[in-house]
């Protein structure tokens, strides 16, 4: 079976042309041997002279055993044969297939040559139109031997094997080709809501932070990245972390929320440290023989005091400092973390002021270079558009997700019993749409202490997996057994789930505090979002649509 990137594609559902692509992906994955690698949905960007940017997409990029690369453009449905060649007609435009394929292939060839620094590469292209028979291949504008249509679609796999034979000489640039497709074209891990799952979902960040922010240079390197939810801040942090390890530098990744730190630690390579700020304090305290007792109140304040007083020696310092969730930090924490950075080290500060749920003032980072991104690649356009209308955001989000989503449901409840009923109904509806229980996160707008749902061990027929609020002797949060995750909006920040039921929403006015809580909870959804709100709050929200 061929390797497929991005992972997690089997869990996706789609309609129309996207569904046909997933069917083809299944054929490629099953029919090609494990020394073939299929990259699906590869986006590319090229800057032209004069400042114009060309953006396109290659449906499949297959790397064969020798490192040769085959680009496959799939055109599902009906095509038209015109004097200008084969044409795909859309609602308001028509696309010349041969021109699009040539442009994509040439753009990738140019970038690949540059990336491989002169090493020999091989790039071929193939048109796959499984629903249409090309009547006059000679006038299609494409080499007839590079067209697989409805008449010979059963020969797709043999044709791929012939173009990418398994007995050819391995190109020296083979490893570089894989790095190019996985790095430059932004197939980077998305931080999944299901913390602890072995397989991370992958997100295509076309022109996103993980691509262009890592190309910025300044001296000393101090970069403050302000990005909206889903813009790729954590993906950028992971790539910066990997860059440091690959280059023999020692990175330190620090965030605020423990679930995010735990997940990043699982997928980050060895060679650095991944911690929350308080975990860092815990590790320092233990080196000083100050064993913290997490069963006692004030344990975390004691850890902060340890870091306030600690000056790391050279052996304890790092070459790269990456702070994620910077909006949750304070000035003294930033000062303490920078003491862990070597004199010539590089520092990254990633934040989103809209996710500042603790009303903390922005950390002062004098002299740092700043950049901003308002593109949300995690949340579907349907949800992004709704949130832009629903909430008075200081900066409107731009939708960058390639995955189709569902309409947002807003449901009102009258009392505690109705709250439970409406939340159960929302979970049931998600299951009815085809999602598994493990794909669903019930996120409460309230904190754990004031939540009516957090104390429950099940919602109707659904056993809940919930944090207990207690920690073991090693500072690990203990959780209950269950099928459906439930958590507070504060803890779930930094995570994501295919289906989010944001519940217990209750406010008198849609003030800054309410907007931020709704924003944080809602932007965790990667496909489906339901808002369960008190009757008056639901009416106010609905009136804004």
């Amino acid at each position: 079976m061929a390797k497929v990137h991005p992972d997690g594609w089997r869990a996706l559902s789609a309609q129309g042309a996207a569904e046909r692509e997933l069917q083809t992906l299944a054929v490629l994955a099953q029919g090609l041997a494990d020394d073939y690698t299929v990259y699906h949905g590869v986006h590319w960007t090229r800057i032209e002279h004069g400042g114009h940017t060309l953006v396109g997409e290659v449906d499949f990029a297959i790397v064969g055993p020798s490192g040769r690369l085959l680009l496959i453009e799939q055109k599902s449905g009906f095509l038209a044969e015109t004097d200008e060649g084969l044409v795909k007609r859309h609602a308001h435009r028509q696309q010349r297939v041969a021109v699009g394929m040539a442009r994509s292939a040439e753009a990738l060839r140019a970038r690949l040559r540059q990336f491989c620094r002169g090493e020999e590469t091989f790039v071929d292209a193939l048109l796959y139109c499984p629903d249409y028979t090309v009547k006059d291949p000679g006038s299609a504008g494409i080499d007839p031997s590079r067209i697989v249509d409805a008449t010979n679609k059963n020969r797709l796999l043999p044709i791929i094997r012939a173009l990418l034979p398994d007995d050819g000489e391995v190109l020296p640039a083979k490893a570089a080709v894989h790095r190019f497709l996985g790095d430059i074209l932004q197939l980077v891990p998305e931080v999944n809501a299901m913390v602890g799952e072995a397989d991370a979902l992958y997100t295509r960040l076309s022109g996103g932070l993980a691509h262009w922010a890592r190309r910025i240079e300044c001296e000393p390197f101090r970069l403050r990245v302000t990005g909206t939810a889903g813009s790729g801040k954590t993906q950028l942090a992971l790539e910066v972390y990997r860059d440091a390890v690959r280059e023999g530098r020692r990175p330190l990744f620090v965030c605020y929320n423990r679930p995010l730190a735990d997940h990043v630690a699982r997928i980050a390579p060895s060679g650095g440290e991944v911690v929350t700020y308080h975990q860092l304090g815990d590790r320092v305290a233990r080196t000083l023989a100050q064993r913290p007792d997490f069963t006692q109140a004030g344990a975390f304040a004691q850890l902060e005091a340890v870091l306030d007083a600690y000056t790391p020696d050279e052996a304890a310092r790092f070459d790269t400092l990456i702070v994620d969730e910077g909006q949750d930090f304070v000035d003294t924490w930033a000062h303490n973390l920078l003491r862990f950075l070597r004199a010539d080290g590089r520092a990254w500060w990633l934040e989103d002021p809209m996710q500042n749920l603790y009303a903390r003032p922005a950390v002062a980072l004098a002299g740092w270079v700043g950049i901003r991104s308002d593109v949300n690649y995690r949340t579907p356009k349907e949800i992004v558009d709704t949130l832009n209308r629903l909430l008075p955001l200081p900066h409107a989000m731009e939708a960058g997700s390639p995955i189709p989503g569902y309409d947002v449901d807003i449901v009102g409840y009258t009392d505690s019993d109705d709250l439970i009923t409406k939340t159960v109904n929302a979970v049931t509806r998600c299951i009815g749409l085809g999602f598994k229980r493990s794909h669903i996160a019930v996120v409460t707008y309230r904190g754990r202490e004031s939540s009516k749902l957090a104390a429950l061990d099940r919602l109707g027929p659904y056993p809940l997996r919930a944090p207990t609020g207690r920690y073991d002797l090693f500072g690990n949060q203990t959780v209950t057994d269950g099928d459906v995750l439930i958590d507070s909006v504060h803890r779930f920040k930094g995570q994501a789930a295919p289906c989010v039921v944001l519940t217990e929403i209750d406010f008198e006015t849609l003030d800054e505090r309410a907007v931020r809580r709704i924003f944080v909870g809602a932007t965790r959804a990667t496909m489906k979002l339901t808002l369960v709100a008190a009757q008056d709050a639901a009416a106010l929200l609905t009136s804004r649509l």
Side-chain angles (χ1 to χ4, degrees):
M1 179 176 289
K3 304 178 184 69
V4 176
H5 298 287
D7 197 5
W9 61 274
R10 295 185 187 277
L12 298 177
S13 61
Q15 296 178 344
E19 181 181 20
R20 300 288 280 126
E21 286 186 24
L22 290 177
Q23 292 170 356
T24 302
L25 187 57
V27 171
L28 297 175
Q30 187 65 39
L32 295 174
D34 59 7
D35 50 359
Y36 290 81
T37 302
V38 181
Y39 294 87
H40 173 234
V42 178
H43 285 65
W44 56 265
T45 302
R46 181 176 61 177
I47 306 298
E48 292 288 322
H49 293 297
H52 299 290
T53 304
L54 296 178
V55 180
E57 179 179 336
V58 175
D59 296 315
F60 306 98
I62 304 177
V63 181
S66 67
R68 294 159 68 100
L69 175 61
L70 175 64
L71 308 178
I72 299 181
E73 180 76 9
Q74 177 166 328
K75 294 299 180 187
S76 303
F78 182 77
L79 300 173
E81 298 182 48
T82 71
D83 293 340
E84 295 181 332
L86 211 54
V87 168
K88 177 68 175 178
R89 292 196 170 110
H90 302 276
H92 302 291
R93 64 183 176 89
Q94 64 179 23
Q95 178 186 15
R96 294 168 61 188
V97 176
V99 172
M101 287 181 61
R103 187 178 66 176
S104 295
E106 179 53 35
L108 288 179
R109 283 191 188 99
R111 294 185 65 188
L112 187 57
R113 282 195 299 268
Q114 182 181 23
F115 186 84
C116 294
R117 297 179 180 178
E119 290 186 336
E120 181 186 3
T121 59
F122 177 92
V123 181
D124 206 341
L126 182 75
L127 171 64
Y128 180 48
C129 43
D131 308 318
Y132 181 77
T133 299
V134 180
K135 301 177 184 61
D136 187 2
S139 63
I142 301 167
D143 183 347
S145 67
R146 297 298 188 271
I147 299 176
V148 179
D149 64 6
T151 62
N152 64 340
K153 63 181 180 181
N154 62 327
R155 286 193 44 76
L156 176 63
L157 293 174
I159 290 172
I160 291 173
R161 295 190 193 100
L163 295 174
L164 303 176
D166 58 6
D167 57 355
E169 182 180 353
V170 176
L171 298 176
K174 178 180 179 180
V177 171
H178 283 290
R179 288 198 305 272
F180 171 75
L181 291 169
D183 180 21
I184 299 300
L185 299 183
Q186 304 314 308
L187 296 174
V188 298
E190 160 71 318
V191 181
N192 192 334
M194 306 307 150
V195 176
E197 285 188 358
D199 296 326
L201 293 179
Y202 283 74
T203 297
R204 299 173 300 189
L205 297 177
S206 175
L209 287 176
H211 173 63
W212 50 266
R214 287 155 60 215
R215 283 146 182 81
I216 293 175
E217 290 294 340
C218 53
E219 186 64 38
F221 193 93
R222 301 289 185 270
L223 187 61
R224 183 175 201 160
V225 180
T226 302
T228 192
S231 60
K233 296 185 299 298
T234 300
Q235 289 89 336
L236 167 61
L238 280 165
E239 289 306 297
V240 170
Y241 190 98
R242 291 189 179 96
D243 287 344
V245 172
R246 279 194 296 263
E247 295 164 8
R249 294 182 282 112
R250 185 167 169 244
L252 171 64
F253 176 103
V254 186
C255 62
Y256 184 78
N257 274 332
R258 179 65 180 269
L260 176 61
D262 289 347
H263 185 69
V264 170
R266 289 187 182 98
I267 62 178
S270 59
E273 295 285 339
V274 177
V275 289
T276 67
Y277 185 77
H278 293 101
Q279 279 181 304
L280 181 63
D282 177 33
R283 296 184 186 186
V284 170
R286 291 174 187 272
T287 64
L288 301 174
Q290 301 175 21
R291 188 179 183 87
D293 184 355
F294 291 98
T295 64
Q296 300 298 315
F300 291 100
Q302 293 174 14
L303 297 179
E304 294 171 17
V306 168
L307 289 176
D308 289 343
Y310 181 68
T311 300
D313 58 23
E314 188 63 20
R317 291 191 172 96
F318 295 80
D319 303 295
T320 299
L321 170 66
I322 308 158
V323 177
D324 201 359
E325 304 180 308
Q327 73 280 345
D328 294 328
F329 286 62
V330 297
D331 285 332
T332 54
W333 295 9
H335 175 73
N336 293 342
L337 289 174
L338 287 170
R339 290 207 301 258
F340 281 86
L341 189 64
R342 294 198 170 102
D344 59 347
R346 300 163 67 90
W348 299 72
W349 189 276
L350 315 175
E351 64 183 1
D352 179 9
M354 278 302 300
Q355 298 187 61
N356 180 1
L357 298 181
Y358 303 99
R360 290 171 177 161
V363 171
L365 297 174
W368 286 49
V369 173
I371 58 174
R372 180 178 188 89
S373 174
D374 293 314
V375 182
N376 183 329
Y377 294 98
R378 177 175 60 221
T379 307
K381 186 177 187 299
E382 293 82 355
I383 297 176
V384 169
D385 289 348
T386 299
L387 293 178
N388 281 334
R389 296 195 306 272
L390 204 64
L391 305 176
L393 303 175
H395 299 275
M397 286 186 292
E398 300 174 35
S401 172
I403 300 175
Y406 296 79
D407 290 338
V408 177
D409 294 331
I410 302 177
V411 181
Y413 67 87
T414 56
D415 54 29
S416 296
D417 290 339
D418 196 34
L419 165 66
I420 294 174
T421 298
K422 296 296 174 57
T423 305
V424 170
N425 290 346
V427 173
T428 302
R429 174 165 169 71
C430 291
I431 294 173
L433 290 173
F435 294 101
K436 299 177 181 178
R437 296 185 182 191
S438 60
H439 292 157
I440 302 168
V442 176
V443 180
T444 173
Y445 176 89
R446 297 178 176 272
R448 175 178 172 80
E449 294 75 14
S450 59
S451 170
K452 296 180 176 64
L453 301 181
L456 303 178
D457 59 1
R458 59 191 304 122
L459 270 174
Y462 310 115
L464 294 174
R465 180 161 54 91
T468 63
R470 297 185 296 273
Y471 295 82
D472 61 23
L473 293 176
F474 300 99
N476 297 312
Q477 175 83 270
T478 58
V479 297
T480 62
D481 294 329
D483 299 334
V484 175
L485 176 68
I486 185 170
D487 213 337
S488 71
V489 71
H490 294 81
R491 274 183 47 89
F492 202 62
K493 179 167 57 66
Q495 303 176 63
C499 300
V500 169
V501 178
L502 180 57
T503 188
E504 289 192 283
I505 301 171
D506 193 5
F507 55 83
E508 294 183 1
T509 59
L510 193 58
D511 56 15
E512 186 175 2
R513 175 177 178 273
V515 167
R516 287 182 177 181
R517 288 197 180 198
I518 295 172
F519 178 86
V520 169
T523 52
R524 305 304 99 198
T526 63
M527 295 188 74
K528 173 64 181 174
L529 171 66
T530 301
L531 304 178
V532 182
Q535 200 75 12
D536 290 345
L540 192 154
L541 291 172
T542 303
S543 70
R544 297 182 62 88
L545 295 178

